[in-house]
Structure formats: C-alpha cells, structure tokens
Amino acid sequence: MTLAEAREAPGLSPENQELAAALDLLQFERGPQWAQPNDAESHRLHGLFQYPAMMVPQMQHDILDLLRQEFDAPRVWDPFVGSGTTLAEAMNLGLDFTGRDINPLAILICRVKAGPYHVDAFSDSASRVLTAVATERGRALEVVFPNWRKWFRYDVAVALSRIRRAIRAETNPACRRFHWLALAETVRLSSNSRVSTVKLHIRPEEQLRRAIDVTGLYESILLRNLARVTEQRDSLVAEGYLKYGHYTGEIVLELGDTRDLETVPGDHSCQITLTSPPYGDNASTVTYGQQAFLPLQWIDLADIHPDAHPAVVSSTHALDTMSLGGSKRLAEGAISDVTTASPALAATFKRLRKEPADRAKRVAAFFRDLDQALPPILHRLSEGSIMAWTVGNRRVGGKPVPLDAALIELLAAREVRLVGRLEREIPQGFKRMPNKNGHVDTIGSETVLVFRT
C-alpha cells in the first residue's frame, strides 16, 4: 500500500497514514540492499547454525527500528521464532522479546543467542571438551535409533559419541547448550544426508566414502561460534545492553505449538509482532522437522527446554506432522471455514478442483492451522499494536497460492487493518521448496505485510 492508496482507504487514521508513508520511504531507501543475497553468515549470531529459509537480518533490523519508534519501550513478539533472526535484531536494539516455536532445535539456537554471554566460561569449556575428546578411546555408541546406520557411518557415530560424552560431563547448562549447537552443525555436515537440501536424502555413493574428521570439524565449528558470540558480546556491551554477561532486556522463549498457546486473561504484553510463518505445510515447502531430526538425536532435550519431548524425534516426519498443515485430516466444513473469510482462498480452491485431491487438502490443512494460530497470536498484543509478517507466495500443482492476500483477509475478519507493505526480490535460487515429486519451486519475492490491531 502506497501513501496515496492509504489516503484513499476508507477509515485509515492519520496515524496509520504516517506509518504508510514511513514504510514507503523505508522501501525506497533500503529496498535495494534487501534484494542482495542473504549473507547471514556475516551477521554474527545469524551464522551459528545453517537454518533453512532464514529471514534477511538487515531487513528485519530496519523494519524493527522503524516500528519501535511508534511505542515507548515495546516488547517484540515472534510466534514462529525459528533460528531467532528477530530475536537477535531485537537484542541489537535493546528491546524485550517473546518468541515461540514448535521445533526444539529452533529454541536451542535462540537460547544460545539469548545468552548468557559468558565467553570466558565458554572458552574454558571448549578446551576441556576438546581435550577430553582427543584423549578418549571408547567406542561405545551414545545414540542408537531405528535405521541409524542409514544416516551415520559407524566411525562417524563413534566420534560423535565421544563428543557427546564430553559435553554431558560439563556442569554449566549454558556451556552445554553452546556445545550442543556446535554438535548440531557437526551432525548436519557429517551425516549421510545431503546438505544441498533440508529433506533427508542419502548422499551419492562417492560422498558416503569421503574422509571425515569429525573431531576436527567440531572444533572448527566450536571455535567459529565462539568468535561470533564474542563479537556479539562486544557489540552488546558497547551499546550498553549487556551487564555481567547477561542481556539487560527480558527474553522469554517458549517451546510449543502457537495454536496451543494458553490465552491468559490480561496478557496483552507485546506491542510489535515481527515474524515469518511457514509458507505452507512443511512436507511440501521447507521440511524444518526433517532438517532437525538427525541433530536432535544427539542432543539432550532437557538442556533445550523442560517441555521438550522425545516424541519430536520418534520418526523423521514426526515434527513436520505436528507443525502447521501437518495433519491433513479435515473436519467437515474446514475448507468453507477459511474460504468464508478469504475470497482469495475460495478462488485458490476453485483453481485446484481439477488437481489431485491431496493438493487441495494440503492447502486447506495449512490455512486451517494458520487461521487457528491467529487468535492466540493476537491475544498477546496490546491495542494499537503493529504486526509485520514476512510472507511469500508458493505454487501447488502449478497454481498460485496467495498467502499474502489470504493473510490480509483472515486478519481483516478479526478487525486487523492492513497499513502498508514492503517488497523484497529474492536472488535466484535462494529460497526453494521441494515438493513430493522432487521438483523445486523457487520463490522470487517476499512481501512484508504491516498491520495495525
């Protein structure tokens, strides 16, 4: 929405017209930089783990910096926190933050990013763990799960087991989490699964026989992460946002399905939502659960969160099934429920009528679950809050699925008004979503939809 469109929109307040104008200016001044390749690894904390489909840190920083000017000491709310891009940028601005995700690996990444930043303790712990690993000769396997030999060579599993034992011997939980994150990346790179896709696919035969120095790989990741955490610590200290290694703002991280979020009376504690939901069901968009499956096998879930349950690693598809759109069992009227509120979805299902039934079910299941997540998300917000959703439109069966238009309509049904939007062109090949047949859809652009409650 441009400023001219905002002025013509019936009932749009002067306050929202000003915000629409500020968004137009931000797009003009910063838009070209957002379109550059997502070099997240150069942004300190954003390179601790290669999480799929990460948001662009600089874009989120610019948006958050603009939106915080609307409020006095706002709290930021991200109901799909993922790898914590919004968390890190909220910390860089000294803001309070609440984040939630169903994926334990996402919460682990966020807990490391949230601190404490006891860099000297991390360094001492790294020395102890690396020494213990180098001197151990045990060959007992720490982790055995169904079909484990498909995903790990025996020598790799032995080396990972030695690292795991050394980590578990550390008494400081923050140190252990720092190590678990490095181990997660080590598992990702040393397993038999390809790293060119987030789906679990076996590497080519010649790669299965490759030389792997698991301990050396772990050490390089650990020291790299230590350098990045140290750099972030120094930046937060310089800004006055760190005291005795602890962030001066309040950070709350929750493990769980946003649809199940308990709506506590009076809990309207947040003023800004900055988030990016999945663009569709995990199975046919980004398989976050599959990507987390192997690393989570090697991590003590109790160190991530007290609510972390072994069920999430019971199979390669368990976590994705628990996520938005994961269950395709549709109650009678499920499609009509979302299409009543969204003409854009009604048109989408009409286009899918001649496609195999499973395609419409995937779309319906996802939007059913997204719609169910909206009330608890909104419940966290105070009156007059601002929401900024980064979304992208995918295709199912070659037919476009307009997530942006559907979200606008689903929120409008709850009296949440669109104020403006920002656009980002995605460099070719940077955001891909494999479908069941192995074909790849590439999203060419992302839209940030900005709403006022």
Side-chain angles (χ1 to χ4, degrees), residues 80-242:
F80 307 103
V81 71
S83 65
T85 301
T86 301
L87 162 65
E89 296 311 323
M91 293 176 68
N92 288 335
L93 293 168
L95 303 176
D96 293 340
F97 181 85
T98 298
R100 187 177 180 89
D101 208 285
I102 196 172
N103 187 346
L105 182 58
I107 296 301
L108 172 64
I109 299 169
C110 289
R111 292 199 71 177
V112 173
K113 290 183 176 183
Y117 285 79
H118 294 157
V119 174
D120 290 342
F122 293 165
S123 180
D124 292 343
S125 177
S127 297
R128 287 193 300 272
V129 167
L130 291 173
T131 298
V133 172
T135 56
E136 196 200 332
R137 294 294 178 266
R139 302 188 67 80
L141 297 184
E142 282 276 307
V143 171
V144 175
F145 57 94
N147 215 22
W148 71 269
R149 297 207 68 159
K150 176 180 179 180
W151 302 113
F152 296 99
R153 285 187 344 214
Y154 176 70
D155 62 309
V156 170
V158 167
L160 292 173
S161 295
R162 291 171 180 170
I163 296 171
R164 188 173 190 268
R165 281 191 287 273
I167 295 173
R168 296 179 70 190
E170 291 295 294
T171 58
N172 186 318
C175 288
R176 290 201 301 271
R177 284 191 289 271
F178 180 73
H179 283 286
W180 290 134
L181 187 53
L183 181 61
E185 182 73 348
T186 304
V187 170
R188 190 183 72 84
L189 295 174
S190 63
S191 77
N192 291 342
S193 182
R194 301 181 188 184
V195 294
S196 57
T197 174
V198 296
K199 282 194 169 186
L200 289 171
H201 284 305
I202 290 293
R203 294 173 185 258
E205 184 64 30
E206 64 274 11
Q207 289 189 22
L208 295 178
R209 297 191 300 268
R210 72 196 187 282
I212 310 175
D213 178 6
V214 176
T215 302
L217 177 62
Y218 175 74
E219 180 177 5
S220 66
I221 293 169
L222 188 68
L223 297 181
R224 179 202 68 186
N225 285 359
L226 181 62
R228 286 178 171 163
V229 168
T230 301
E231 185 181 3
Q232 178 72 357
R233 187 257 335 248
D234 293 345
S235 175
L236 292 174
V237 168
E239 295 292 338
Y241 300 149
L242 211 65

Side-chain angles (χ1 to χ4, degrees), residues 4 17 56 58 97 142 161 229 251 258 286 305 349 354 368 388 403 409:
Q17 290 183 24
V56 177
Q58 189 57 58
F97 181 85
E142 282 276 307
S161 295
V229 168
I251 296 176
T258 296
V286 179
H305 194 280
F349 289 119
K354 295 182 179 180
R368 170 204 61 196
L403 175 55
E409 292 166 349

Side-chain angles (χ1 to χ4, degrees), residues 417-451:
R417 186 67 178 273
L418 178 70
V419 175
R421 68 176 74 212
L422 301 165
E423 303 288 344
R424 170 186 172 245
E425 294 299 318
I426 300 176
Q428 186 174 2
F430 269 75
K431 188 159 286 190
R432 298 179 300 168
M433 300 181 302
N435 63 24
K436 280 188 174 180
N437 300 318
H439 299 104
V440 173
D441 280 342
T442 300
I443 293 182
S445 64
E446 288 178 321
T447 300
V448 179
L449 301 172
V450 180
F451 303 87

Side-chain angles (χ1 to χ4, degrees), residues 32 39 71 81 97-98 117 157 170 193 242-243 281 289 373 379 383 395 411 429:
D39 189 16
F71 306 97
V81 71
F97 181 85
T98 298
Y117 285 79
E170 291 295 294
S193 182
L242 211 65
K243 187 174 183 179
D281 63 290
H379 186 81
E383 186 177 354
R395 302 178 76 84
L411 284 171

